[in-house]
Amino acid sequence: MYSSEEVQLLQLEENFSTTLARTNTSIRQFLVDLEPSDLRGRECLRLLQQLQESSQRLWEVTEQSLHSLKQRLHYPTSVALEALLLLNKADHVLQAHMEYIKSYTDCVVVQAFQNVSKKSEHWKSRRKKPQQLLPWENSEGSVGTTPCQALSNPLTQHVQKYVCLLLSLRNTLDKHHPAQKLVMHAVTLFENLQSFMMQALDQAVATQALWHSLNSRVRDVLCTPTHRLLMDSQDVPVMVTPLRTERVLLFDDALVLLQGHNIYTFDLKLVWVNPSQDKCVLHILTPEEEFSFCAKDSKGQVVWQWKVTQAVCQALRGKKDFPLLGSDPESSVPPDCRCVAYTFRHEGRLYQATYEGSWCRAKPHGKGTMKWPDGRNHTGDFCRGLEHGFGICLVPQASEDKFDCYKCHWREGSMCGYGICEYGTDKVYKGYFQAGLRHGFGILDSIPQTSQPFRYTGHWEKGQRNGYGIEDDTERGERYIGMWQADQRHGPGVVVTQAGVCYQGTFQEDKMADPGILLYEDDSLYEGTFTRDLMLLGKGKVTFPNGLTLDGSFSSGTDKGLYIQGVLDTAASPPDPTSTCKRQLGLGAFPVESRWQGVYRPFQDFVRSGCPGELQEALLGFHVQTSRDLREFQEYLCHERSHPKDCVGSMEDALEEMLQHREPQALQQYLRKALSNSRHPLGKLLHTLMLTFQATYSGIGANKHLQGMAQEEVKHHAQELWAAYRGLLKVALQRQGQTLEEEDMETRDLQVHGLLLPLILPSFYSELLTLYMLLHEREDGLYSQGISNLSLFPDTKLLEFLDVQKHLWPFKDLRLTSNQRCSLVRDKCFLSAILCLQKVITTMDPREKLEILEKTYGEIEAMVSRVLGREYKLPMDDLLPLLIYVVSRAQIQHLGAEIHLIRDMMDPSHIGGLHDFLLTALESCYEHIQKEAVRLHRLPGHWNSRELC
């Protein structure tokens, strides 16, 4: 069965539906033939049309509710009480009422009825019979006032009756009735709606009344349908300092200060309230202004603080408070951090710039985007109003439709730390900044497609090249290695050309100064003065590879020839060819300790500061998983950047892991992992050093006269990387309250050469081995010729030729076919030792190369012991011929380069030991094969492979 309350609800909905239908008709008639020409009139017309639409939607919802009530009364047994629209969709019904209230109060605020009715001929003609148009209203009201009341009173009365009937219905239900909770929910909603309606109507009327107290200019600016007056300083007096305003108006979306004809408007989303110790003073913070409200007493201050605070909370939610302004205890205090857009108006760096992002205490703080009218755009992290942290900045070029793109770390508004800058001039800079300028180590490079390739790798100071650096001039086919000052070559320098010519001397303001030396491809040496194009000019001396010298004056003629006036000395003895071809440049001019300080310095500063996590990205640079992430920088910066799975996460994790791997074997594994990871400080440092090495010694720089510089650089890098590891370990221990023990020189050298150098050598090996090959090209050529000659010998002839004692010949285990005999066997003797020695070129670790050499020696000795049938230790006289045989059959290319690289990079602790002995023996074999090449070449031409057999 249904209750009497349900019947009354049905009647209530029928009456309200009829009222709304007639109201809709009245509004449509009211708007007939309205075509206002002024802006204010068109705005009022739009609001009235919006009111008509919301009234129509409210009527449709009421009809749906009425239909559900009829179904309930007609079929009480099949349609349950909880099926009523008013109960199961109370929020939907409430929303329709809220939209109507908003539309209605918008019209009230701007006096839409009064403004439009003055121009409505249809309304004026019907004015004589208002009862026929709005029968529930008194006809004594003025034009415009009558429809205002007609549109608000029915809704107010309807909601009141809703509440009463729903309360009565609740009392008729058992507490376990299925509809009990729905009825309670509906009662709560409509009680809140009733209170909210009263507040909304009061605010709208108060706002409408405000306009009459303002002059026309101020009224035209402030009179908008969205404004709702919450507080007026004429009601609760307050004085504003230091602005000295005449009146303060608090709207639901803005704080307005009036000073004569000047209007200062502040978006409430960007207003922060800060109570003062003075109970009568209230501080207000905005993006560009700070001022205080001074009330007459503490009560006035409390009222203003509460009102402003609640208005800010409401503005941040982006909707009218429901049920009442400030009634929600959770929203009584606005958050310090907010996300809002704002355009700066005051003169200065941010003039007319629009910031969209996070704020804190009236300053951009967190992630956001700043856009300037001229096209500049900065997206990234901000701190207290300044760019701080990682950010991407676009700066348009004035002359062309191109941008400079800065992907950098920023500190207090300026670029500081690591960054990548892509310039509109088709150049890219990757390196460090300070105070917005290139400072420290960096690489300035042209893009691959450019017509004039350019690259500088080195040090910068205040935006200019300064200190040690490498520049490639591809147009001239030159590489400059040396010192810079004020963006010019200045100080000692080396120039290497594609033609193989090398110059070493002094530069002053980008020009060659003072005498220098020239080394030519054929190892000729010139000491004297010359032109920018390395043409001999002035006094000088030429030393030719054969020992002849030419001392005199040099000049170029009109036909581009070379004129010489001097003395040719033919009496000098020929120099050692190995010494003339191995002259090294740059060793004394650029001390290895000072070459790449700009690479080490950021790391050293990071360690000295205690390895703070917030500076980790400024040191290492930012990381993105793909280039697409970096291109879509605005979306990328809106999220926290994360490291890939295989990289070290936070600095704290890296330091913690370091403490867990201090034992020798674990330490080696840890260092290998860290050095291979560019997101680890050690890996980043190694990667940067590898770039400097390639920039110096690859391409044009692959010159034999630079081998000494390269070799000492690699060793020094190993020392610095070990010191870097020790620095990180010291910080890790300090965080645990421990100290790092001092390390003596012997222990340090052992760790550097035995542990770290083998780990980093692969990063430099390709360029380094190339330099060794070029330096020892002549000897390796003779060695190759000797190998070629010796390869013509079968095994027995070669063993005999090398004076290997016959009782050591390994033919005991040899298995021959029916058509073979020992005198024809080739590449069968000592095969295991030959295969073992060939593995020496498969590794880049000098220690492993020496171990392979030791295994080769072991294979030779084992074979001899098997031949003799007893254990036999080979003396040097027996070992050397056998080792020469194995080396000649192994046919290792560039063996001289390999030997010298091993010698230079081997652990000093091996000097005087077995490895040193075996390496010396290998060197003797190498030299012997070279001599055999010369000796066999001088033999009469009658010998050939057939006769050797």
Side-chain angles (χ1 to χ4, degrees), residues 491 503-516 528-530:
Y503 158 80
Q504 178 173 318
T506 303
F507 286 79
Q508 188 169 358
E509 296 180 354
D510 221 29
K511 297 179 181 179
M512 295 179 182
D514 300 328
T529 59
F530 32 81

Side-chain angles (χ1 to χ4, degrees), residues 477-546:
E478 294 179 355
R479 174 172 295 169
Y480 173 80
I481 304 169
M483 304 305 293
W484 296 75
Q485 182 176 306
D487 231 20
Q488 294 180 324
R489 294 180 292 181
H490 192 91
V494 172
V495 175
V496 184
T497 69
Q498 283 181 331
V501 179
C502 296
Y503 158 80
Q504 178 173 318
T506 303
F507 286 79
Q508 188 169 358
E509 296 180 354
D510 221 29
K511 297 179 181 179
M512 295 179 182
D514 300 328
I517 64 172
L518 275 177
L519 279 172
Y520 292 90
E521 183 71 10
D522 64 351
D523 296 323
S524 297
L525 172 66
Y526 171 79
E527 300 169 89
T529 59
F530 32 81
T531 67
R532 170 71 175 85
D533 297 319
L534 303 181
M535 299 296 295
L536 308 189
L537 181 66
K539 292 183 178 182
K541 178 182 178 182
V542 177
T543 303
F544 297 97
N546 58 7

Side-chain angles (χ1 to χ4, degrees), residues 693-900:
F693 199 79
Q694 292 173 348
T696 310
Y697 305 111
S698 66
I700 300 176
N703 190 291
K704 61 185 178 183
H705 300 298
L706 301 179
Q707 179 269 342
M709 284 182 60
Q711 179 242 120
E712 68 175 7
E713 246 178 60
V714 173
K715 290 183 177 179
H716 182 70
H717 290 337
Q719 294 176 8
E720 290 290 347
L721 283 165
W722 178 250
Y725 163 76
R726 295 269 300 173
L728 289 173
L729 181 60
K730 181 178 179 181
V731 173
L733 290 171
Q734 286 175 345
R735 293 190 177 189
Q736 300 292 328
Q738 304 175 37
T739 58
L740 180 64
E741 296 180 1
E742 291 294 328
E743 185 179 50
D744 59 57
M745 190 71 69
E746 183 179 351
T747 304
R748 190 202 70 173
D749 290 343
L750 181 64
Q751 297 287 32
V752 168
H753 292 90
L755 176 61
L756 202 56
L757 185 59
L759 294 176
I760 72 167
L761 192 56
S763 299
F764 310 103
Y765 193 80
S766 177
E767 291 79 16
L768 188 61
L769 181 61
T770 299
L771 294 174
Y772 274 90
M773 290 164 55
L774 292 171
L775 185 63
H776 301 282
E777 185 175 15
R778 180 179 177 279
E779 301 100 300
D780 277 340
L782 284 174
Y783 159 78
S784 296
Q785 184 181 341
I787 291 293
S788 179
N789 293 339
L790 294 176
S791 67
L792 299 175
F793 289 85
D795 286 357
T796 54
K797 291 292 184 180
L798 183 57
L799 289 170
E800 182 180 0
F801 180 78
L802 296 175
D803 294 329
V804 177
Q805 298 185 41
K806 288 193 175 183
H807 70 281
L808 301 179
W809 291 13
F811 293 119
K812 180 179 179 181
D813 300 331
L814 215 60
R815 296 179 181 179
L816 305 178
T817 61
S818 59
N819 59 350
Q820 283 184 319
R821 63 179 188 269
C822 287
S823 61
L824 298 176
V825 169
R826 188 188 302 275
D827 299 333
K828 295 293 183 180
C829 298
F830 297 100
L831 181 59
S832 60
I834 293 169
L835 295 176
C836 183
L837 183 60
Q838 287 174 338
K839 295 178 182 178
V840 77
I841 62 173
T842 62
T843 179
M844 293 175 277
D845 186 346
R847 178 180 52 197
E848 293 179 359
K849 290 178 183 288
L850 290 170
E851 290 172 354
I852 290 172
L853 185 57
E854 183 181 356
K855 290 178 181 177
T856 302
Y857 167 72
E859 291 291 340
I860 295 174
E861 203 167 63
M863 176 60 73
V864 171
S865 298
R866 190 162 58 250
V867 169
L868 298 177
R870 58 186 174 84
E871 185 176 348
Y872 184 75
K873 294 295 181 182
L874 284 168
M876 188 63 179
D877 291 342
D878 291 341
L879 172 63
L880 189 59
L882 288 172
L883 190 57
I884 294 174
Y885 172 85
V886 170
V887 171
S888 66
R889 287 297 193 238
Q891 297 185 353
I892 298 172
Q893 298 294 315
H894 309 292
L895 181 59
E898 290 281 359
I899 290 173
H900 286 89

Side-chain angles (χ1 to χ4, degrees), residues 78-323:
S78 59
V79 179
L81 176 62
E82 52 269 25
L84 294 180
L85 183 73
L86 196 59
L87 299 181
N88 64 16
K89 291 187 178 180
D91 295 300
H92 178 62
V93 177
L94 177 72
Q95 184 62 32
H97 285 76
M98 293 287 291
E99 291 178 2
Y100 181 83
I101 294 170
K102 181 185 181 304
S103 299
Y104 167 72
T105 53
D106 285 349
C107 292
V108 172
V109 167
V110 298
Q111 299 175 298
F113 303 106
Q114 292 89 329
N115 290 330
V116 173
S117 62
K118 295 176 183 178
K119 303 176 183 180
S120 174
E121 296 298 330
H122 179 81
W123 173 251
K124 292 178 181 179
S125 65
R126 301 296 298 272
R127 176 71 176 82
K128 296 181 180 179
K129 297 180 180 179
Q131 290 86 351
Q132 297 178 10
L133 184 63
L134 301 168
W136 59 84
E137 205 42 65
N138 188 341
S139 62
E140 296 299 324
S142 61
V143 174
T145 302
T146 299
C148 283
Q149 298 172 342
L151 296 172
S152 64
N153 290 349
L155 181 62
T156 303
Q157 297 168 6
H158 181 67
V159 173
Q160 289 175 348
K161 293 177 181 178
Y162 258 161
V163 173
C164 292
L165 289 175
L166 287 172
L167 286 172
S168 179
L169 178 62
R170 181 193 62 183
N171 296 332
T172 64
L173 298 177
D174 183 79
K175 64 178 180 179
H176 299 295
H177 194 282
Q180 179 68 243
K181 290 184 178 180
L182 293 175
V183 174
M184 289 294 295
H185 177 63
V187 168
T188 302
L189 287 182
F190 286 104
E191 282 181 341
N192 291 337
L193 176 62
Q194 186 177 8
S195 302
F196 177 75
M197 283 178 57
M198 295 175 58
Q199 176 180 275
L201 293 173
D202 290 343
Q203 289 178 355
V205 172
T207 306
Q208 183 190 84
L210 170 68
W211 309 138
H212 300 291
S213 65
L214 304 176
N215 62 58
S216 59
R217 182 181 179 279
V218 174
R219 182 168 59 248
D220 291 340
V221 173
L222 297 180
C223 185
T224 62
T226 57
H227 275 334
R228 298 292 186 275
L229 181 65
L230 304 181
M231 196 75 174
D232 188 343
S233 61
Q234 289 189 349
D235 299 328
V236 181
V238 69
M239 182 175 64
V240 181
T241 58
L243 298 180
R244 302 293 182 184
T245 57
E246 301 167 356
R247 192 171 182 181
V248 180
L249 301 175
L250 176 63
F251 294 98
D252 60 348
D253 58 352
L255 179 64
V256 177
L257 308 182
L258 302 180
Q259 188 180 45
H261 292 292
N262 296 323
I263 305 172
Y264 302 96
T265 303
F266 304 96
D267 186 352
L268 286 181
K269 295 177 183 177
L270 289 169
V271 169
W272 280 259
V273 181
N274 189 15
S276 172
Q277 293 182 350
D278 188 340
K279 295 183 178 181
C280 297
V281 177
L282 184 67
H283 295 304
I284 303 294
L285 305 178
T286 70
E288 298 182 88
E289 298 280 1
E290 292 186 19
F291 47 87
S292 301
F293 286 174
C294 301
K296 290 184 177 180
D297 50 35
S298 59
K299 183 178 179 181
Q301 187 264 7
V302 170
V303 172
W304 272 102
Q305 180 179 339
W306 187 86
K307 283 283 189 179
V308 174
T309 299
Q310 299 309 308
V312 170
C313 291
Q314 173 180 290
L316 290 173
R317 279 197 295 272
K319 61 182 181 179
K320 303 297 182 185
D321 268 318
F322 181 77

Side-chain angles (χ1 to χ4, degrees), residues 373-492:
D374 62 0
R376 281 183 297 160
N377 184 324
H378 182 97
T379 300
D381 298 321
F382 291 79
C383 181
R384 299 177 182 177
L386 296 174
E387 299 90 334
H388 192 90
F390 179 73
I392 297 181
C393 183
L394 294 178
V395 180
Q397 290 189 345
S399 57
E400 302 179 42
D401 187 20
K402 293 183 178 181
F403 288 81
D404 293 340
C405 181
Y406 299 86
K407 306 163 188 174
C408 310
H409 264 264
W410 302 69
R411 183 178 298 167
E412 296 179 357
S414 298
M415 290 181 287
C416 190
Y418 183 81
I420 298 177
C421 300
E422 300 170 352
Y423 299 100
T425 56
D426 295 334
K427 291 183 180 179
V428 179
Y429 174 79
K430 298 180 180 180
Y432 291 90
F433 289 85
Q434 183 173 302
L437 299 173
R438 300 173 197 154
H439 193 92
F441 172 78
I443 301 174
L444 182 63
D445 199 0
S446 57
I447 63 174
Q449 300 82 6
T450 187
S451 58
Q452 296 182 335
F454 167 87
R455 168 175 282 193
Y456 172 80
T457 304
H459 297 82
W460 301 77
E461 185 174 339
K462 297 180 180 179
Q464 295 182 322
R465 289 172 287 185
N466 207 88
Y468 184 74
I470 318 297
E471 182 190 54
D472 280 351
D473 187 342
T474 54
E475 186 177 355
R476 299 178 61 88
E478 294 179 355
R479 174 172 295 169
Y480 173 80
I481 304 169
M483 304 305 293
W484 296 75
Q485 182 176 306
D487 231 20
Q488 294 180 324
R489 294 180 292 181
H490 192 91

